[in-house]
Amino acid sequence: MSQAARPFVILMADDDAEDCLLVRDAVRETRLPHLLRVVADGEELLAYLNRQGQYADGRAPRPDLILLDLNMPKKDGREVLRHLKSDPRLRTIPVVVLTTSASEDDVTYCYAVGASSFVSKPSTYRAWIDVVHNLCSYWFKLVTLPSS
């Protein structure tokens, strides 16, 4: 993918502040040009993508990749994923479900609705680094993403 003229935009939706910090550190370690935005729940994610509320000023860049937790307050990740993949303006954004769930029902549901990947959250710092490095290498070096 040759979008080197601008940083990659990753939007992470997760209510766990520690996991968000781990992803921020891990993405930084990839040394890829990036902009990581974090929202705390599904409602805020949809507001970001639809440029509503605090994001109405237009300074919410369209993400190249969404990292989505399933278990969040307000709107959970399952509900948000279903909404994203049913919206023609948003359905082309790759969504990686990054969650503590290992439920086969969740895996099956997420892929059926249109998730691009399903990844269980790692349990150690080194494993976080590896997971995020692999995700960034795959999504930002290997594959070609649609233009915004």
Side-chain angles (χ1 to χ4, degrees), residues 66-78:
I66 295 173
L67 302 178
L68 180 66
D69 187 24
L70 290 183
N71 303 309
M72 296 182 293
K74 299 183 182 175
K75 282 189 189 278
D76 75 5
R78 294 161 198 83

Side-chain angles (χ1 to χ4, degrees), residues 1 17 25 31 48 65 71 76 79 93 99 102 111 113 115 120:
M1 172 175 184
D25 288 348
R31 300 200 191 283
Y48 178 102
L65 179 67
N71 303 309
D76 75 5
E79 193 176 352
I93 301 170
T99 186
Y111 280 115
V113 174
S120 294

